[in-house]
Amino acid sequence: MFDITFGLLPPTIVDLIIDATQQTLYMVAVSGALGTLIGLPLGVFLATSRAGELFAAPWLNQTLGLVVNAARSTPFIILVVAIIPFTRLVAGTSIGTSAAIVPLTVAAAPFIARLIEAAIREVDQGLVEAARAMGASPIQIVAKVLLPEALPAITLALTLAAVSLLGYSAMVGAVGGGGLGDLGIRFGYQRFMPEVMAAVVIVLILLVQAVQTLGDLLARRLDKRSRG
Amino acid sequence: MNAPLTLAAAVPTLPEPSVSAAALPVPARSIIRFERVAKTFPARRGHAAVHALSDITLDVPEGAILGVIGRSGAGKSTLIRLVNGLEKPTGGRVLVDDVDIGALDEAALRKERRSIGMIFQHFNLLARRTAFDNVALPLEIAGVPRAEIKARVEPLLDLVGLSDKRDRYPAELSGGQKQRVGIARALATKPRVLLSDEATSALDPETTEQILALLRRVNAELNLTVLLITHEMAVIKAVADKVAVIDGGRIVEDGATYEVFARPRHPTTRSFLAALTAKSLPRRVAERLSAEPRDGRDQAVLRIVFTGEHAQDPVLSRVSRLLSVDVNIIQAQVDEIAGTPFGVIVVSVPGDAPTVSAVINAVERLNLTAEVLGYV
């Protein structure tokens, strides 16, 4: 196989980096998907349940808002350790890459919910009024107006969430989650191998660039507002 | 013009167009009826309760275009939103086709809204839907099958003259084109009533004229009743059969547009009309116009309205001879309002109070109206 490191790193280290990259991608992809699954409906609800809104439930809105804020204000590394019993309950174990998905999801869901809420709130209220005037039900307004109109903003929000998850995933080495961050700490820092650290950073930069570029491109294609 | 043909295709199940309201021996029945309607917004943190509307009684005859004119904050937006239940009255009833809108539950209201189209000042088109898909939206909401939607949307785009823009997104359309899409969308569910919320206020005068002509056309050809709100007298003049003037949440004057233009009774109406006239005054006059006389040598600018039956009378020369005052014509024009010729002459006379009131008296004795626009 062609050596992409031009001989700077021994093949064993290259294998380690490839493994770690796969672990990182796996954790980010699964926790991102699960976080979206929870965060999207939560965000839509937060954006539409204040007094006088489509699904008006001010008390539930405030309660959920508090829970979301609490989850978001806990530093991720604390969260990882604090929810170990929950992680064990869900994943059957509290260590390993799959187990790390639990705290990543718990951190991602409220973050994504807030981003989705902001994206939905950006939709012109005039469109909601127009849809109501057409006889649309609240569910139809969400499905046919709010989500489709917010789609470019939602795409950017999920891109941001994915980039943040790449960062978070570096910390799950603390519970044996593996991944690029863990590799960087164990080899680059603890074993004094700066070339490994450099390789890890470069791979992370490339991943973030790729995710951001893809997200921007997709959002731009979805956005029909800026055409001549 | 092959318009009726196009329309027949757009709305195949439409009943025969009725005879125009004026030709009927009995007044057309009301399709929208406000019965002593009040709307109060409850007090909120630090703000007192707002009485947006009080004691509104108003009938919109079937097939008519009724314009409600008022300044911002007069309550006209609230008034139009009561018709499709976007707001609920806190007193009285709003009836649409004899259905009490305020008494409907959400599901029944949603169904009722399909027979009430609405267009908006800022068009409120979905940015991520093409013109075609925007018009299709109310049909999708109503659960109309895909194939039928296509058959309904295309004639509507044709009707508003946008067949060639069917796959364009709103950002690629001009303001007038966007409002045409808005009108097509409002007509998609074959409503009996069209609500127009300042639909031309964001458009330039020429586009405004085109949109108003389109409203006139759908009104006449689909026998669609139109309730529109506006802050521009020019809009009322161009399309409304009837007008209601709203001020401080109350209707201060209403009637046939021609009558209200010819004989405005309320000061609010007069000021709207004066603004309309002043806009068309020659620049040299408009620029110098002041509300009060500045000195004894000022001339008073009067607006005299001629209605059909007096259009032939030599009013000015008679007044001039009778009072021995010099009457100087600044501007004269004959308009048509709701199909009746309508003359407006703007004159200047010596601005001292006795002369001005003598001239006004003399004009009013001839059954015309005169009012002071200002002094130059």
Side-chain angles (χ1 to χ4, degrees):
Chain A
M1 201 183 97
F2 175 67
D3 182 5
I4 53 162
T5 68
F6 302 105
L8 285 173
L9 292 170
T12 45
I13 296 293
V14 173
D15 283 349
L16 278 175
I17 291 174
I18 291 171
D19 278 355
T21 306
Q22 281 172 350
Q23 286 168 344
T24 292
L25 287 177
Y26 166 68
M27 287 189 291
V28 169
V30 176
S31 62
L34 291 175
T36 305
L37 218 59
I38 302 165
L40 184 73
L42 187 57
V44 170
F45 183 78
L46 285 172
T48 54
S49 57
R50 285 193 204 152
E53 294 180 333
L54 285 179
F55 299 98
W59 280 106
L60 190 55
N61 180 296
Q62 288 199 345
T63 311
L64 283 175
L66 277 176
V67 172
V68 163
N69 288 346
R72 291 206 49 213
S73 52
T74 311
F76 182 66
I77 191 71
I78 307 287
L79 184 82
V80 171
V81 183
I83 65 164
I84 280 179
F86 177 72
T87 305
R88 197 172 289 135
L89 192 76
V90 176
T93 171
S94 62
I95 47 172
T97 309
S98 291
I101 285 171
V102 177
L104 280 172
T105 303
V106 169
F111 181 48
I112 290 174
R114 281 295 188 214
L115 291 173
I116 300 277
E117 179 189 4
I120 298 267
R121 286 205 182 279
E122 280 298 302
V123 176
D124 182 358
Q125 276 303 302
L127 300 183
V128 174
E129 188 180 47
R132 287 180 66 206
M134 286 172 209
S137 66
I139 295 282
Q140 283 177 319
I141 292 174
V142 170
K144 292 199 173 287
V145 178
L146 291 178
L147 287 176
E149 287 293 303
L151 200 55
I154 289 174
T155 307
L156 290 176
L158 293 181
T159 306
L160 178 59
V163 170
S164 299
L165 277 174
L166 276 171
Y168 284 168
S169 73
M171 287 182 246
V172 294
V175 288
L180 285 166
D182 186 41
L183 185 73
I185 294 287
R186 284 192 293 121
F187 285 72
Y189 178 62
Q190 291 165 350
R191 296 193 189 179
F192 305 107
M193 296 171 75
E195 69 279 15
V196 176
M197 186 64 99
V200 161
V201 170
I202 288 168
V203 172
L204 279 173
I205 289 173
L206 290 177
L207 283 179
V208 168
Q209 285 294 344
V211 168
Q212 192 64 52
T213 306
L214 224 65
D216 286 346
L217 204 74
L218 192 60
R220 209 169 322 136
R221 295 198 81 177
L222 291 168
D223 195 343
K224 308 294 182 191
R225 283 172 300 186
S226 49
R227 293 199 178 186
Chain B
M1 198 163 83
N2 64 348
L5 211 78
T6 317
L7 277 163
V11 187
T13 60
L14 199 79
E16 284 293 300
S18 73
V19 197
S20 91
L24 288 172
V26 286
R29 80 189 187 90
S30 298
I31 193 156
I32 305 172
R33 164 168 289 200
F34 291 81
E35 291 178 353
R36 312 212 55 164
V37 172
K39 174 70 183 179
T40 302
F41 292 101
R44 285 169 82 174
R45 272 176 296 188
H47 297 277
V50 178
H51 299 283
L53 296 172
S54 344
D55 200 22
I56 300 282
T57 295
L58 186 66
D59 280 315
V60 186
E62 189 165 18
I65 300 184
L66 187 140
V68 176
I69 184 164
R71 298 201 172 80
S72 54
K76 53 191 194 303
S77 295
T78 308
L79 182 115
I80 203 166
R81 277 163 181 71
L82 288 166
V83 178
N84 59 1
L86 292 175
E87 300 282 359
K88 300 260 173 160
T90 46
R93 300 196 302 168
V94 179
L95 303 173
V96 177
D97 226 357
D98 298 325
V99 175
D100 182 352
I101 295 295
L104 296 176
D105 63 33
E106 274 299 313
L109 183 58
R110 284 202 286 272
K111 215 158 167 220
E112 186 64 28
R113 280 172 177 156
R114 289 176 199 160
S115 60
I116 305 170
M118 190 167 187
I119 55 176
F120 304 87
Q121 177 173 5
H122 297 296
F123 324 119
N124 292 352
L125 300 179
L126 273 63
R128 296 198 54 250
R129 280 177 174 248
T130 60
F132 181 96
D133 288 334
N134 265 290
V135 179
L137 180 62
L139 299 169
E140 287 173 26
I141 286 168
V144 175
R146 202 75 222 172
E148 205 183 319
I149 287 179
K150 194 169 145 58
R152 294 260 291 267
V153 172
E154 279 174 354
L156 282 165
L157 285 172
D158 213 26
L159 167 70
V160 299
L162 285 180
S163 297
D164 56 328
K165 305 279 186 215
R166 56 164 285 168
D167 296 323
R168 299 292 175 150
Y169 290 94
E172 301 169 291
L173 301 175
S174 70
Q177 289 170 335
K178 284 183 209 171
Q179 196 58 286
R180 285 167 185 276
V181 175
I183 291 172
R185 181 177 72 175
L187 297 177
T189 49
K190 300 176 188 170
R192 285 157 295 159
V193 171
L194 179 66
L195 305 176
S196 166
D197 178 7
E198 297 271 12
T200 56
S201 300
L203 303 175
D204 61 61
E206 198 180 321
T207 314
T208 294
E209 220 163 274
Q210 292 166 4
I211 293 296
L212 293 177
L214 180 59
L215 283 183
R216 256 265 174 248
R217 202 176 130 209
V218 296
N219 161 257
E221 294 176 13
L222 306 177
N223 192 33
L224 185 74
T225 308
V226 180
L227 174 63
L228 64 86
I229 62 172
T230 180
H231 63 273
E232 292 173 310
M233 214 48 166
V235 169
I236 301 283
K237 187 173 113 183
V239 293
D241 307 309
K242 299 186 74 181
V243 59
V245 183
I246 188 168
D247 192 24
R250 290 171 188 276
I251 290 179
V252 294
E253 180 159 3
D254 71 305
T257 305
Y258 183 81
E259 283 299 311
V260 172
F261 267 70
R263 279 178 275 278
R265 295 188 307 270
H266 195 274
T268 305
T269 318
R270 291 213 180 98
S271 78
F272 274 121
L273 288 172
L276 185 63
T277 314
K279 231 184 253 174
S280 63
L281 283 179
R283 270 250 313 265
R284 67 183 166 83
V285 178
E287 276 169 2
R288 287 193 298 146
L289 203 64
S290 73
E292 298 295 329
R294 280 157 297 201
D295 59 55
R297 286 169 297 132
D298 270 1
Q299 294 265 307
V301 178
L302 298 181
R303 171 184 180 273
I304 301 174
V305 173
F306 290 75
T307 48
E309 74 248 47
H310 295 288
Q312 310 297 324
D313 298 358
V315 178
L316 289 184
S317 62
R318 204 177 292 173
V319 168
S320 174
R321 205 163 349 115
L322 214 66
L323 303 171
S324 345
V325 288
D326 290 326
V327 179
N328 177 30
I329 297 179
I330 295 174
Q331 189 183 52
Q333 77 189 91
V334 178
D335 272 330
E336 202 170 90
I337 293 172
T340 315
F342 179 89
V344 176
I345 296 190
V346 178
V347 298
S348 68
V349 297
D352 58 296
T355 307
V356 171
S357 63
V359 170
I360 290 179
N361 275 334
V363 170
E364 281 176 350
R365 268 204 304 279
L366 296 165
N367 254 330
L368 305 180
T369 57
E371 63 180 303
V372 179
L373 294 178
Y375 296 84
V376 291

